[in-house]
Amino acid sequence: MSKRVSARQIETRPEPVALIPNALVDDQPPGYPQLAAFIDSDPNFMMCRRFGTLHTRLLLYRQDELATLERRLERLDREDALTPQGLRCLSSRDMDEEYRQDLIDKIDEKLKDYDELVLRCQSMIAMREPAARNFSSLVAWVDNEKPLCKEEMDFIHQGADFVTLAAEREDGWFDGLVEDCLTAIPCRFTKLLFSSKEQLEKTDDKYVHYVSKKRLDILIRLLVMFMAVALLVVPVFILLRFNHGQEYMRVVVVLIFTGAFSVALSAFTKAKRHEVFAATAA
């Protein structure tokens, strides 16, 4: 027998709220929500303090604790080495004193904490510093918007202590120069061409300019390609203009453009020394 449901028994369910994984900066409440949204709006802004001094201080404290336990164990061993009973304790773990076992167990616990701290410090030190231009952009936004109270906003001025969380890229100073030029051009077409739709919708702040890394990489590759072709083709045309008997001038031209190629390879890319040497020799 079917059960009848009266109108009073039917409750109105609230409409589901659409979750936005990457919330827009302007849609966030002022304060930490908006600051977090801005930092998350671009991988270049993902940076934080590493607290290097605090890590080092903890490391020194844990190191001294272990050194104290080490001296205590060494003193106990030297004292036991002076008596026959002590020598038996040193030669057999089963006959050892409970005090030494407790001391070794304590050293083991301290070493675990120390080893973990050392690895944490090593991991933090290995992290790269943020690019100066990216850090300056974050500082400028924080100083302009002032999302936090003064005391909690002072962290942003500890520039030497910041590390970036973004993955390492092949970016060099040339990439930053091109990006600065694009953002400095007051042209809507440039902004539409080098910013994705999602980036354009993140904020209405006219002082904030997002540049698509994929589109920027394409432009950089084209510029570097044209530059490489020019460094290879231009000396050929110059050499063709020299007559016989001017071999020394040809050597000078070859040396100049070979050096220019090496400088360009070092300046516009993050090639290692042996890679620069190999490319120049080829």
Side-chain angles (χ1 to χ4, degrees):
M1 181 176 180
S2 61
K3 182 179 179 180
R4 298 182 62 184
V5 181
S6 63
R8 293 182 179 179
Q9 293 176 302
I10 302 178
E11 298 180 358
T12 304
R13 296 182 179 179
E15 292 293 332
V17 179
L19 299 178
I20 304 177
N22 295 322
L24 305 181
V25 177
D26 295 339
D27 292 344
Q28 297 301 304
Y32 276 103
Q34 194 171 65
L35 176 60
F38 178 77
I39 293 177
D40 186 55
S41 65
D42 191 281
N44 289 328
F45 298 149
M46 292 296 294
M47 58 186 76
C48 63
R49 288 190 61 186
R50 64 184 176 93
F51 293 101
T53 302
L54 289 181
H55 275 92
T56 305
R57 186 165 181 175
L58 284 174
L59 193 63
L60 292 173
Y61 279 10
R62 298 294 177 261
Q63 179 178 268
D64 184 67
E65 289 176 352
L66 278 169
T68 301
L69 295 175
E70 182 183 35
R71 289 192 297 268
R72 191 181 303 174
L73 181 61
E74 290 176 351
R75 184 170 58 251
L76 179 62
D77 292 342
R78 287 195 298 268
E79 292 175 354
D80 287 346
L82 299 177
T83 61
Q85 177 65 27
L87 288 174
R88 284 194 293 270
C89 293
L90 292 175
S91 60
S92 175
R93 189 166 52 86
D94 293 335
M95 298 181 62
D96 198 0
E97 298 175 347
E98 183 178 355
Y99 176 76
R100 181 183 282 104
Q101 293 294 335
D102 293 340
L103 182 58
I104 290 178
D105 291 340
K106 188 174 182 179
I107 291 176
D108 183 36
E109 294 178 2
K110 292 293 183 180
L111 274 175
K112 290 178 181 178
D113 296 338
Y114 181 77
D115 293 345
E116 181 183 356
L117 180 59
V118 168
L119 293 177
R120 281 160 46 196
C121 292
Q122 183 187 38
S123 175
M124 191 65 68
I125 293 175
M127 300 180 71
R128 298 177 298 112
E129 295 181 2
R133 52 191 309 280
N134 295 331
F135 181 73
S136 299
S137 299
L138 178 60
V139 172
W141 187 89
V142 172
D143 288 340
N144 291 333
E145 299 297 329
K146 294 179 172 55
L148 308 178
C149 64
K150 185 179 183 304
E151 291 183 357
E152 298 185 29
M153 203 166 59
D154 287 342
F155 79 95
I156 199 65
H157 299 293
Q158 304 291 332
D161 196 48
F162 269 73
V163 293
T164 179
L165 306 181
E168 186 174 5
R169 297 171 56 86
E170 195 182 354
D171 298 352
W173 67 270
F174 185 64
D175 301 62
L177 176 63
V178 174
E179 186 173 350
D180 288 339
C181 292
L182 293 177
T183 55
I185 297 176
C187 178
R188 180 173 176 80
F189 174 76
T190 304
K191 196 171 184 179
L192 292 175
L193 184 62
F194 292 98
S195 300
S196 64
K197 180 181 178 182
E198 293 77 13
Q199 289 176 322
L200 294 174
E201 294 175 348
K202 286 183 178 180
T203 180
D204 294 329
D205 192 339
K206 63 179 181 179
Y207 297 107
V208 178
H209 302 278
Y210 294 101
V211 177
S212 172
K213 294 303 178 184
K214 293 182 179 180
R215 302 181 186 185
L216 180 64
D217 286 343
I218 294 175
L219 177 61
I220 297 297
R221 290 177 184 274
L222 290 175
L223 292 176
V224 172
M225 181 186 68
F226 286 129
M227 192 176 304
V229 171
L231 289 174
L232 295 175
V233 175
V234 170
V236 175
F237 284 101
I238 295 177
L239 292 174
L240 291 176
R241 297 183 62 87
F242 288 120
N243 299 323
H244 293 289
Q246 295 180 313
E247 285 75 9
Y248 69 95
M249 289 299 300
R250 295 183 179 183
V251 174
V252 172
V253 171
V254 171
L255 289 176
I256 291 176
F257 278 91
T258 302
F261 180 80
S262 300
V263 172
L265 188 63
S266 302
F268 298 147
T269 68
K270 287 189 176 181
K272 298 180 180 179
R273 295 176 182 176
H274 66 275
E275 294 173 341
V276 175
F277 180 80
T280 305

